[in-house]
Tab-separated table of all heavy atoms in Angstrom:
chain	number	residue	atom	x	y	z
A	61	SER	N	103.167	103.329	98.284
A	61	SER	CA	102.574	103.887	97.066
A	61	SER	C	102.231	105.349	97.291
A	61	SER	O	101.141	105.678	97.779
A	61	SER	CB	101.316	103.113	96.681
A	61	SER	OG	101.641	101.768	96.426
A	62	PRO	N	103.157	106.253	96.948
A	62	PRO	CA	102.884	107.676	97.175
A	62	PRO	C	101.831	108.211	96.204
A	62	PRO	O	101.750	107.774	95.062
A	62	PRO	CB	104.234	108.346	96.927
A	62	PRO	CG	105.066	107.359	96.199
A	62	PRO	CD	104.473	106.012	96.390
A	63	ALA	N	101.038	109.146	96.700
A	63	ALA	CA	100.100	109.870	95.851
A	63	ALA	C	100.813	111.097	95.299
A	63	ALA	O	101.508	111.800	96.034
A	63	ALA	CB	98.875	110.278	96.646
A	64	TRP	N	100.659	111.351	94.013
A	64	TRP	CA	101.211	112.539	93.344
A	64	TRP	C	100.022	113.423	93.039
A	64	TRP	O	99.117	113.019	92.315
A	64	TRP	CB	101.938	112.094	92.083
A	64	TRP	CG	102.487	113.168	91.203
A	64	TRP	CD1	102.980	114.377	91.561
A	64	TRP	CD2	102.621	113.091	89.781
A	64	TRP	NE1	103.421	115.063	90.466
A	64	TRP	CE2	103.217	114.288	89.351
A	64	TRP	CE3	102.309	112.117	88.830
A	64	TRP	CZ2	103.491	114.562	88.009
A	64	TRP	CZ3	102.588	112.388	87.498
A	64	TRP	CH2	103.168	113.586	87.097
A	65	THR	N	99.983	114.607	93.636
A	65	THR	CA	98.820	115.469	93.485
A	65	THR	C	99.211	116.853	92.979
A	65	THR	O	100.356	117.271	93.074
A	65	THR	CB	98.080	115.622	94.831
A	65	THR	OG1	98.984	116.170	95.796
A	65	THR	CG2	97.544	114.282	95.318
A	66	GLY	N	98.214	117.552	92.437
A	66	GLY	CA	98.349	118.941	92.042
A	66	GLY	C	97.337	119.762	92.820
A	66	GLY	O	96.245	119.270	93.127
A	67	ALA	N	97.680	120.996	93.147
A	67	ALA	CA	96.807	121.827	93.979
A	67	ALA	C	95.461	122.113	93.312
A	67	ALA	O	94.452	122.285	93.986
A	67	ALA	CB	97.503	123.133	94.334
A	68	THR	N	95.415	122.155	91.966
A	68	THR	CA	94.179	122.445	91.253
A	68	THR	C	93.573	121.181	90.659
A	68	THR	O	92.423	120.852	90.911
A	68	THR	CB	94.438	123.478	90.137
A	68	THR	OG1	95.095	124.611	90.717
A	68	THR	CG2	93.154	123.918	89.478
A	69	THR	N	94.365	120.465	89.852
A	69	THR	CA	93.933	119.214	89.216
A	69	THR	C	95.031	118.191	89.405
A	69	THR	O	96.210	118.493	89.138
A	69	THR	CB	93.693	119.418	87.704
A	69	THR	OG1	92.792	120.496	87.515
A	69	THR	CG2	93.130	118.159	87.060
A	70	ASN	N	94.694	116.989	89.839
A	70	ASN	CA	95.707	115.967	90.066
A	70	ASN	C	96.262	115.405	88.765
A	70	ASN	O	95.500	115.164	87.827
A	70	ASN	CB	95.141	114.817	90.892
A	70	ASN	CG	94.915	115.210	92.322
A	70	ASN	OD1	95.561	116.118	92.840
A	70	ASN	ND2	93.997	114.532	92.981
A	71	PRO	N	97.569	115.169	88.724
A	71	PRO	CA	98.141	114.446	87.588
A	71	PRO	C	97.709	112.978	87.664
A	71	PRO	O	97.322	112.496	88.726
A	71	PRO	CB	99.653	114.593	87.785
A	71	PRO	CG	99.841	114.968	89.202
A	71	PRO	CD	98.569	115.567	89.706
A	72	VAL	N	97.788	112.283	86.526
A	72	VAL	CA	97.491	110.853	86.467
A	72	VAL	C	98.694	110.178	85.832
A	72	VAL	O	99.090	110.530	84.715
A	72	VAL	CB	96.208	110.576	85.650
A	72	VAL	CG1	95.950	109.082	85.530
A	72	VAL	CG2	95.009	111.287	86.273
A	73	ILE	N	99.292	109.211	86.523
A	73	ILE	CA	100.546	108.601	86.079
A	73	ILE	C	100.396	107.814	84.780
A	73	ILE	O	101.356	107.674	84.023
A	73	ILE	CB	101.192	107.754	87.201
A	73	ILE	CG1	102.659	107.468	86.890
A	73	ILE	CG2	100.407	106.488	87.447
A	73	ILE	CD1	103.562	108.667	86.791
Side-chain angles (χ1 to χ4, degrees):
S61 299
W64 176 33
T65 59
T68 307
T69 306
N70 288 335
V72 177
I73 197 62

